[in-house]
Amino acid sequence: MIAAVISGVLLALSFPTAIGSFSFSLSSLAWFGLVPAYLSLKSASARGAFWRGVGVGFPLYLVSLYWIFIALHTYGEVAGTLSLLTLLLLALILAGFLGVTFYLTVRLSRFGIPMGLLLVTGWLTQDWCRNYFPFGGFSWSSLAYSQGNFLSLLQIADLT
């Protein structure tokens, strides 16, 4: 579980707004951020994989969506406690998408499909699902947003 949380923190730090408006970028952390979680999945049960996915997603969404607390509390004049609880609940719900992804990765890997391929495909699928479901979707904090500094890479990904 520690490896999953480390992955979540590394992925969260790869987003451009994770550490404020500093002039340097940590977007390359996204390329290595999933490695600890992937390595911990090799020995995980399906239930353990779900909780590892939640362990990756919770810090990832908590850090990358910090601005929701500010928007609710400062501009919406919602009480600080309620704003914080809303952010925590949202991060937990979004982490559930990753939990399901990790669960399915471990379950389907038992059929001989490479776990790396399943994890990448599952991550892309859950990003797509979050963009449209539930209630019209929540498109913030897709992992591709962390790669905004690599214009060539994004253009290649757009075409392929």
Side-chain angles (χ1 to χ4, degrees):
M1 188 62 151
I2 300 290
V5 173
I6 290 170
S7 283
V9 169
L10 289 175
L11 292 173
L13 290 175
S14 72
F15 283 90
T17 58
I19 52 174
S21 59
F22 293 109
S23 60
F24 63 92
S25 171
L26 298 174
S27 59
S28 59
L29 286 177
W31 290 91
F32 307 103
L34 278 177
V35 172
Y38 172 74
L39 293 176
S40 75
L41 274 183
K42 292 191 175 234
S43 63
S45 66
R47 181 182 293 187
F50 174 82
W51 289 112
R52 282 179 174 91
V54 171
V56 170
F58 190 72
L60 167 62
Y61 297 121
L62 195 61
V63 171
S64 65
L65 298 173
Y66 73 92
W67 55 269
I68 289 178
F69 172 82
I70 296 169
L72 289 173
H73 183 62
T74 305
Y75 302 109
E77 298 179 0
V78 176
T81 308
L82 187 57
S83 298
L84 181 60
L85 286 174
T86 302
L87 175 60
L88 292 173
L89 182 63
L90 178 63
L92 190 60
I93 290 169
L94 294 176
F97 280 90
L98 283 178
V100 170
T101 298
F102 279 44
Y103 173 83
L104 291 173
T105 296
V106 167
R107 294 289 294 203
L108 294 174
S109 70
R110 295 180 183 159
F111 295 109
I113 305 169
M115 192 176 285
L117 178 65
L118 287 169
L119 186 59
V120 169
T121 306
W123 194 289
L124 290 171
T125 304
Q126 72 86 26
D127 261 355
W128 181 84
C129 287
R130 275 191 313 109
N131 284 333
Y132 297 102
F133 307 105
F135 311 117
F138 190 83
S139 62
W140 288 291
S141 294
S142 290
L143 194 55
Y145 293 155
S146 69
Q147 301 304 298
N149 293 336
F150 302 113
L151 183 60
S152 315
L153 179 69
L154 292 175
Q155 289 173 335
I156 290 170
D158 183 41
L159 294 174
T160 57

